[in-house]
Amino acid sequence: MAINKFMRLALKVLSYPDIDIRKTYPLERSIRYLRLPALLPKDRWQDHTIVSEGRKILTRIYTPEDNTGKNTLLFFHGGGWVTESIDTYNKVCDALARAARSRVISVEYRLAPEHPFPQGLDDCYAAARELFVRPKSFGFDLGRVTVIGDSAGGNLAAAVSLRARDEGEFYIPRQILIYPATYYDHSESSPFASVMENGSEYLLTSKRICEYIDLYKRDDEDLKNPYFAPLLAKDFSDQPDTLIITAEFDPLRDEGEAYGRKLRAAGSRVTIYRMRDALHGFMGLGTGYIHVRRAHALINTFLNGGERDESGR
């Protein structure tokens, strides 16, 4: 559904709260937990703990009734590296598992600012290493493994793929990046038009992204690190087949699409799809929304070997 003038007015009002997430993130987390969806039936999920370098990493495995066993999706949640969790993403991951008829393994990585970069990335990388190097530890046939994430989780998925290539411990064949953060500058000096066009009136503001970046980084040196901002990588070769889904009215739109073009130029098979009339974070709306159903269809096409163009049709 197109964004009409009344929706635009409402979005404009909602996009200007005088709140600094750098000061209020504990409250934001509490509010999100108060809104947790009802717990899913126990036969649809199970928790599994990974141990890496003496550190326990919780994962949650969603298995739909009509699981084909062909695919496993390793999922990294969004939330600006700061606010969300596997609990708050229950609905998103369960819906994805059912739509893709595949297992989804969601990772509870450590959050900033208590655990700044690269600690959350270390957890995501450890989970991926466990899947690819010791798949039998999960107790079931993983089938084909794809890493996937939305927003900050898309950033983490891209960084895990780059790091896997650089360290040479395992190879990731496919990745799905949903409105990913791939750059470090979302101020007025950003090179991307979408930051200016969509950075003040569409819920996720450029100001809020800058605050998340400040919470995630240890210092300004991190801003130059390609595992922090994947678009800064000097080498985009040997990366997975990639599906990138962006949202039309999202400040992160252009940097996500630019990352896809970099991967394509370096030889990867890349599908870039811009979701028309969509806002950042639309995957959390549920399957009653057309954008979520379209995203699920794109993911299914990608997982089963098909391709789509960049037209958004």
Side-chain angles (χ1 to χ4, degrees):
M1 181 176 64
I3 298 178
N4 59 40
K5 64 180 181 180
F6 300 106
M7 292 176 66
R8 286 184 183 278
L9 179 60
L11 288 169
K12 185 173 183 178
V13 171
L14 291 171
S15 298
Y16 284 102
D18 187 19
I19 297 173
D20 188 334
I21 193 67
R22 292 170 296 187
K23 299 176 181 177
T24 64
Y25 69 87
L27 177 61
E28 180 82 10
R29 289 177 186 167
S30 298
I31 292 171
R32 291 178 186 273
Y33 269 88
L34 288 173
R35 296 174 179 171
L36 282 178
L39 194 63
L40 301 166
K42 187 65 175 72
D43 61 353
R44 295 234 295 265
W45 63 273
Q46 66 184 91
D47 285 345
H48 176 79
T49 300
I50 295 169
V51 178
S52 175
E53 299 177 349
R55 183 175 74 257
K56 293 183 178 180
I57 304 168
L58 178 65
T59 67
R60 183 161 295 163
I61 304 168
Y62 300 82
T63 305
E65 291 181 1
D66 57 349
N67 173 42
T68 65
K70 294 180 181 179
N71 294 291
T72 295
L73 283 67
L74 181 64
F75 187 91
F76 308 134
H77 65 74
W81 309 277
V82 173
T83 61
E84 301 283 4
S85 70
I86 59 173
D87 289 328
T88 62
Y89 263 68
N90 263 334
K91 183 175 73 171
V92 173
C93 290
D94 180 63
L96 177 60
R98 288 185 284 116
R101 300 174 64 198
S102 305
R103 284 189 178 90
V104 172
I105 302 176
S106 183
V107 179
E108 184 79 305
Y109 59 85
R110 288 171 290 177
L111 298 178
E114 297 90 341
H115 302 284
F117 175 84
Q119 294 181 57
L121 172 61
D122 289 343
D123 293 344
C124 294
Y125 183 80
R129 180 174 55 208
E130 187 78 2
L131 240 67
F132 284 98
V133 177
R134 290 178 289 275
K136 291 183 179 179
S137 67
F138 285 85
F140 54 81
D141 182 7
L142 297 175
R144 297 171 296 193
V145 177
T146 302
V147 297
I148 177 173
D150 72 320
S151 192
N155 167 280
L156 291 166
V160 165
S161 294
L162 288 171
R163 184 171 165 183
R165 178 204 61 195
D166 295 343
E167 299 197 10
E169 292 185 282
F170 54 92
Y171 174 73
I172 297 173
R174 285 168 303 279
Q175 64 179 354
I176 300 171
L177 314 178
I178 304 173
Y179 35 77
T182 65
Y183 200 58
Y184 69 92
D185 183 3
H186 303 87
S187 68
E188 293 181 354
S189 61
S190 167
F192 298 108
S194 62
V195 172
M196 300 299 105
E197 294 170 0
N198 304 324
S200 62
E201 298 183 3
Y202 298 100
L203 298 183
L204 177 67
T205 64
S206 55
K207 172 181 176 290
R208 176 57 59 88
I209 303 170
C210 291
E211 292 167 359
Y212 280 135
I213 292 286
D214 282 346
L215 289 171
Y216 184 43
K217 71 181 182 181
R218 293 167 299 186
D219 53 47
D220 286 349
E221 284 300 307
D222 286 339
L223 302 179
K224 305 173 185 178
N225 191 320
Y227 299 155
F228 187 97
L231 201 50
L232 296 180
K234 292 182 173 60
D235 180 7
F236 294 92
S237 65
D238 298 319
Q239 285 299 280
D241 290 351
T242 301
L243 169 64
I244 295 178
I245 302 174
T246 63
E248 181 178 2
F249 298 110
D250 182 357
L252 301 181
R253 182 195 69 205
D254 291 352
E255 66 192 75
E257 294 174 3
Y259 190 66
R261 290 191 293 272
K262 288 283 189 180
L263 295 178
R264 183 182 289 157
S268 293
R269 295 179 59 190
V270 180
T271 298
I272 305 170
Y273 187 95
R274 181 183 295 183
M275 193 70 70
R276 292 177 178 173
D277 294 322
L279 305 177
H280 185 89
F282 68 79
M283 288 294 288
L285 295 175
T287 55
Y289 289 82
I290 185 62
H291 297 138
V292 179
R293 297 197 299 274
R294 284 177 180 166
H296 286 163
L298 287 164
I299 290 168
N300 271 319
T301 299
F302 176 75
L303 293 175
N304 291 293
E307 294 186 8
R308 296 291 293 268
D309 64 22
E310 298 183 45
S311 66
R313 290 190 292 271

